Amino acid sequence: AHAHSELPPWLRRRAQLQDAGAGSAALVGATVLSLALANFGPTADAWLQFWETPLGPAIGHHRLSVRGWINEALMAVFFFIVGLEIKLELRVGALASVRKAALPCIAALGGMLTPMAVYVGVQALLGGGTLAALAVPMATDIAFAMAIYGFFRRRMPPSASAFLLTLATVDDLGAIAVLATAYASQVAPAFLGAAAAVAATMAAVGRTGTSDLRLFAAGGGALWWCLLRAGVNADVAGVIAAFCVSTRAVFRERSGGGDSSAGEPLVHRAVARLTPLSSFVIMPLFALANTAVRVGGGA
């Protein structure tokens, strides 16, 4: 409540709605709407084709579709917010000790390996199958996982949020790592090197304790472009950029006379202002784009 009182009025109302589960409801509602439009005869073809429509100029070998811009670009902002929350928990929160941080990471690893082991077992027992889809059952979608959590946030201990965020994010990053190493095509080592250089630069800037988020936005944008040109999942740029932001950085408003007001932790400020954008714009768009699928028949 204290954090909400420090927000400008236009953000305060959205933060209160998020606490009430409105963001989760928006994501579930978008899912239902998209599935309905994708499976209703008069709208199905147009709805499905819309998300595959190329948008904007080609970036190297990539010509992103409408869905691609959401999954690759907007989701980088989502991962930036999640990365900030996880780093805060790792530094001063429920995951500050190695023992506490290890538990969700081990759980995520088990959540990836166990379904893959079941898949291998089924293929071995039934015969005639293939291991080509080995990585398919390992993926858990963090966006939908956190949406379900959002419905029960008020009835669960705060530590549950840190645990679930870390578990779901590590699982998602594991899936991204598999995609990047096992399924990536036309990987460009030069751009991977450039991405590493940008990340190292952002880390160095973060260690100075700067409170200028524009530096991290610019660095994150450059990192995103390098990763996309490198042929790997670019949305991970959000997590990398977030981990470069110092939890000790403090933002201070300057009055007309140049005097600084009381400081506000930069991580808290960024999360408070970006979460409504994620909850009410990015996540519903993500659901609309990725649940536009036909159900039944030969799908």
Side-chain angles (χ1 to χ4, degrees), residues 36-87:
L37 291 174
N39 291 276
F40 179 57
T43 60
D45 289 340
W47 184 248
L48 294 172
Q49 290 172 7
F50 168 74
W51 298 109
E52 301 298 333
T53 304
L55 180 66
I59 303 177
H61 298 290
H62 302 275
R63 182 77 187 277
L64 294 179
S65 62
V66 176
R67 179 186 287 117
W69 279 107
I70 293 172
N71 290 349
E72 295 282 359
L74 287 183
M75 286 303 289
V77 179
F78 170 80
F79 276 109
F80 179 74
I81 300 168
V82 170
L84 288 176
E85 293 180 334
I86 291 176
K87 182 167 185 180

Side-chain angles (χ1 to χ4, degrees), residues 28-177:
V28 173
T31 300
V32 173
L33 174 63
S34 187
L35 282 170
L37 291 174
N39 291 276
F40 179 57
T43 60
D45 289 340
W47 184 248
L48 294 172
Q49 290 172 7
F50 168 74
W51 298 109
E52 301 298 333
T53 304
L55 180 66
I59 303 177
H61 298 290
H62 302 275
R63 182 77 187 277
L64 294 179
S65 62
V66 176
R67 179 186 287 117
W69 279 107
I70 293 172
N71 290 349
E72 295 282 359
L74 287 183
M75 286 303 289
V77 179
F78 170 80
F79 276 109
F80 179 74
I81 300 168
V82 170
L84 288 176
E85 293 180 334
I86 291 176
K87 182 167 185 180
L88 194 61
E89 294 293 345
L90 287 169
R91 290 293 192 187
V92 297
L95 302 175
S97 71
V98 174
R99 179 179 297 179
K100 291 179 179 178
L103 181 60
C105 293
I106 293 172
L109 185 62
M112 290 184 279
L113 295 180
T114 302
M116 294 171 73
V118 171
Y119 182 89
V120 172
V122 170
Q123 297 300 327
L125 289 174
L126 298 182
T130 175
L131 292 180
L134 179 63
V136 171
M138 70 173 282
T140 299
D141 201 301
I142 181 175
F144 285 93
M146 294 315 298
I148 298 303
Y149 166 74
F151 283 119
F152 304 99
R153 181 185 296 268
R154 288 177 175 269
R155 301 185 181 184
M156 297 176 70
S159 58
S161 176
F163 177 87
L164 292 174
L165 270 174
T166 305
L167 186 153
T169 304
V170 170
D171 187 290
D172 231 35
L173 293 177
I176 290 172

